[in-house]
Amino acid sequence: MAEKRDLYEVLGVDKNADEATLKKAYRKLAKKYHPDVNPGDKDAEQKFKEATNAYAILSDAEKRRQYDQFGHAAFENGGAGEGGFGGFDFSGADMGDIFGDLFGDLFGGGRRRTRNGPMKGANLRARVNITFEEAVFGCEKELEITLKDVCTTCDGSGAKPGTQPVTCPKCNGEGQIVYTQQSMFGMVRNVQTCPECGGTGKVIKEKCTNCRGTGYTSSRKKIQVSVPPGIDNGQSIRIRDKGEPGRNGGPRGDLLVEVTVARHPIFQRQDTNIFSTAPITYAQAALGGEVRISTVDGDVMYEVKPGTQTDTRIRLKGKGVPSLRNKNLRGDHYVTLVVQVPTKLNEAAKEALRQFDAACGNRSAEPHTHTEKKKKSFMDKIKESFEE
């Protein structure tokens, strides 16, 4: 027979652990190894039984004293108890409360809690589309959404004027129903929301005709949205108190507006920096000079250095996107210069390039017409040799 483990070790607590620490440790293990969470897992079932047995002993002051003095021997050979779960009697342990909590966590119940206090309303979500420039500099947008308001006919009670909601007969106004059931651990207490009143503790006999008993009416409303400079695609703007109405005097929820930024044909964004490319001519790259570059602030002139190579990256400081935290701080604009090779040249331009290439010491720049003449002369000589 395998040697039994120390009960404190089973729960993972110190020997001086108080009742709250024991309960917290057991709940954690019970939720992890409960048979309903691990169906068919014999190892998990055994660990669950072991933890339950440990808690049952250590949560009882007298039995814990006996265990501390005699160890497991205190409960063997007809000791403190025979029978029950795992050869131990749980009658002295407060298992009903902890199993009620446990089953509530596992199956949607939980501790009893009232729903009659003030509750904040749910948040609403909407979406707004803006351009790249609007995201950089901010803008004002108008949304039209459906909002709920407290019914003016019944003042939000949902009951017909002249009548009032009555206490729910099923839960006696508690909003929850407590019931017990027999399980392998004994009697287990569980809690569920009252199905009759939905947890409000009140039922409406005669409904308001204006809101049909909901206590709210809906209408389309226009909402102004201030989009801050520097907002990025997918980020949201929170507008306070424009969500669902609260319950029992609770505050309204908020409206969360998600921003969708359109793609730009030239610019790309990364954090607060902007990236783009700009074409320059072969002459500008070789000789240097001013080139026109497009930015979100408009076109700017930039002095290109002589001998600039294609894919050279330049930095335009402060021409990026403002920071959301401080609109006076802006990122930078990085521009990649791309040398454009001409595809259509007239004869004068071709000759000028040949002369330029020859001046650089490149023999391949010899006029193409001369090459053709040499080839023609050579072919003529071959023909002549055959003719002879």
Side-chain angles (χ1 to χ4, degrees):
M1 183 176 180
E3 183 179 353
K4 294 182 180 180
R5 287 206 298 159
D6 179 79
L7 300 185
Y8 294 100
E9 179 186 339
V10 170
L11 294 181
V13 297
D14 185 80
K15 290 190 176 183
N16 297 319
D18 57 17
E19 184 178 348
T21 303
L22 289 171
K23 188 172 184 178
K24 182 178 180 181
Y26 172 64
R27 278 177 54 80
K28 182 178 179 180
L29 293 171
K31 289 173 68 175
K32 182 178 180 180
Y33 296 116
H34 192 279
D36 289 327
V37 180
N38 306 275
D41 189 336
K42 296 296 183 182
D43 184 55
E45 181 181 351
Q46 183 58 39
K47 289 180 179 178
F48 178 73
K49 292 179 179 180
E50 188 179 39
T52 302
N53 182 67
Y55 177 73
I57 294 175
L58 299 180
S59 62
D60 183 280
E62 177 59 26
K63 290 164 185 170
R64 181 176 181 176
R65 185 191 63 77
Q66 294 180 36
Y67 175 76
D68 289 343
Q69 185 174 2
F70 302 108
H72 288 287
F75 312 109
E76 295 174 353
N77 301 320
E82 298 176 353
F85 183 76
F88 185 76
D89 180 12
F90 291 125
S91 59
D94 182 19
M95 304 301 289
D97 176 63
I98 196 167
F99 278 120
D101 293 341
L102 175 61
F103 277 95
D105 290 339
L106 293 176
F107 308 115
R111 293 183 180 273
R112 298 183 64 181
R113 57 188 182 274
T114 179
R115 294 180 59 181
N116 295 326
M119 295 178 62
K120 184 177 180 179
N123 292 334
L124 290 178
R125 293 186 177 274
R127 181 174 296 175
V128 64
N129 298 318
I130 62 175
T131 66
F132 188 92
E133 288 81 3
E134 288 174 332
V136 173
F137 298 110
C139 62
E140 293 291 326
K141 291 291 183 179
E142 186 178 78
L143 290 179
E144 187 174 352
I145 61 175
T146 300
L147 283 180
K148 288 182 180 180
D149 289 300
V150 175
C151 177
T152 56
T153 302
C154 65
D155 293 326
S157 69
K160 181 180 178 181
T163 67
Q164 292 291 332
V166 298
T167 301
C168 175
K170 191 173 185 68
C171 65
N172 295 320
E174 293 292 330
Q176 294 177 326
I177 298 174
V178 181
Y179 63 93
T180 58
Q181 64 183 28
Q182 183 68 40
S183 73
M184 60 186 294
F185 312 109
M187 295 302 294
V188 176
R189 182 173 68 96
N190 205 351
V191 181
Q192 72 173 15
T193 300
C194 177
E196 187 72 20
C197 64
T200 64
K202 300 285 186 180
V203 292
I204 300 172
K205 294 295 184 181
E206 297 183 65
K207 295 182 179 180
C208 171
T209 56
N210 187 41
C211 64
R212 299 181 181 179
T214 63
Y216 305 103
T217 56
S218 300
S219 61
R220 299 287 292 178
K221 292 187 178 181
K222 294 182 178 179
I223 305 294
Q224 290 297 126
V225 181
S226 295
V227 180
I231 197 165
D232 206 350
N233 184 59
Q235 292 183 322
S236 294
I237 303 166
R238 182 182 294 270
I239 303 178
R240 302 286 181 183
D241 303 325
K242 293 298 181 182
E244 295 282 354
R247 292 188 176 186
N248 302 319
R252 294 186 73 105
D254 301 328
L255 174 62
L256 304 178
V257 182
E258 183 180 345
V259 175
T260 300
V261 181
R263 296 177 66 89
H264 196 278
I266 299 176
F267 306 132
Q268 292 183 338
R269 174 180 175 178
Q270 184 176 341
D271 296 328
T272 58
N273 295 324
I274 294 177
F275 297 85
S276 68
T277 60
I280 60 174
T281 67
Y282 185 80
Q284 287 173 324
L287 303 176
E290 282 192 334
V291 296
R292 187 180 300 275
I293 296 177
S294 297
T295 73
V296 290
D297 295 309
D299 291 349
V300 298
M301 301 304 296
Y302 183 83
E303 187 73 22
V304 175
K305 296 179 181 179
T308 295
Q309 302 297 308
T310 192
D311 291 337
T312 296
R313 176 176 285 186
I314 63 175
R315 173 191 178 196
L316 302 179
K317 189 175 181 179
K319 293 294 184 181
V321 181
S323 168
L324 269 177
R325 296 182 178 179
N326 185 354
K327 64 181 180 180
N328 295 320
L329 296 178
R330 294 182 61 176
D332 303 323
H333 185 165
Y334 294 90
V335 184
T336 301
L337 301 176
V338 180
V339 178
Q340 299 291 298
V341 178
T343 57
K344 295 182 179 180
L345 296 174
N346 57 30
E347 195 58 38
K350 290 179 181 178
E351 184 61 29
L353 281 177
R354 292 189 191 102
Q355 293 178 8
F356 167 77
D357 213 15
C360 292
N362 190 350
R363 291 186 177 182
S364 64
E366 198 172 346
H368 187 60
T369 54
H370 292 180
T371 304
E372 288 179 348
K373 288 181 179 179
K374 288 183 178 181
K375 287 183 179 179
K376 183 177 180 181
S377 176
F378 178 72
M379 292 300 294
D380 287 343
K381 289 181 180 180
I382 295 178
K383 287 181 181 180
E384 289 174 0
S385 65
F386 277 106
E387 288 175 356
E388 293 176 355

